[in-house]
Amino acid sequence: VQLQASGGGLVQAGGSLRLSCVASGRTFSRYGMGWFRQAPGKEREFAAAIPWSGGSGVYADFVKGRFTISRDNAKNTVYLQMNSLQPEDTAVYYCAARQYGSVWSQSAYDYWGQGTLVTVSS
């Protein structure tokens, strides 16, 4: 699976962005998808995940109802809608695909996109 993330950019605090991740290669619908982020000087951390079938997502505590993950298997795309963005959300956001293992664990993800930078100004 090849993953291509996009949609990052510069936004003011309180604003919104929608990230997209398009998959190609193996059957996208067989994979659970996740979004992770890495802030400057920090380790990469889990943000959100969605199972292969869609439906309810799983979120990190810091999301606090601000982010929504969704997917469109017909378009081989997973999205991360981010609202009420704050400067601490500034990070490179990565999408990733997994078939097995914990949604929270980076090691469970077999394929990774290149990342898209989100910068939130105060």
Side-chain angles (χ1 to χ4, degrees):
V1 177
Q2 292 80 44
L3 302 174
Q4 180 72 41
S6 63
L10 175 63
V11 63
Q12 289 187 332
S16 299
L17 283 174
R18 188 175 81 155
L19 306 183
S20 299
C21 176
V22 179
S24 60
R26 296 179 182 267
T27 306
F28 173 73
S29 61
R30 295 179 181 175
Y31 291 84
M33 298 297 296
W35 285 97
F36 291 77
R37 71 181 190 181
Q38 187 168 19
K42 296 186 177 181
E43 295 186 351
R44 189 162 57 186
E45 62 180 351
F46 171 83
I50 189 168
W52 65 270
S53 57
S56 297
V58 176
Y59 299 95
D61 288 344
F62 67 77
V63 168
K64 298 177 183 178
R66 302 180 297 130
F67 295 2
T68 302
I69 188 171
S70 62
R71 66 189 294 161
D72 185 340
N73 286 345
K75 295 182 178 180
N76 285 1
T77 303
V78 62
Y79 305 97
L80 186 67
Q81 176 67 44
M82 304 187 297
N83 300 326
S84 301
L85 285 163
Q86 299 301 316
E88 53 266 34
D89 294 315
T90 294
V92 176
Y93 284 73
Y94 297 90
C95 59
R98 55 172 279 281
Q99 284 191 296
Y100 308 106
S102 170
V103 300
W104 307 93
S105 174
Q106 295 184 50
S107 62
Y109 290 80
D110 302 303
Y111 305 98
W112 291 81
Q114 85 291 357
T116 185
L117 176 62
V118 172
T119 303
V120 185
S121 63
S122 58

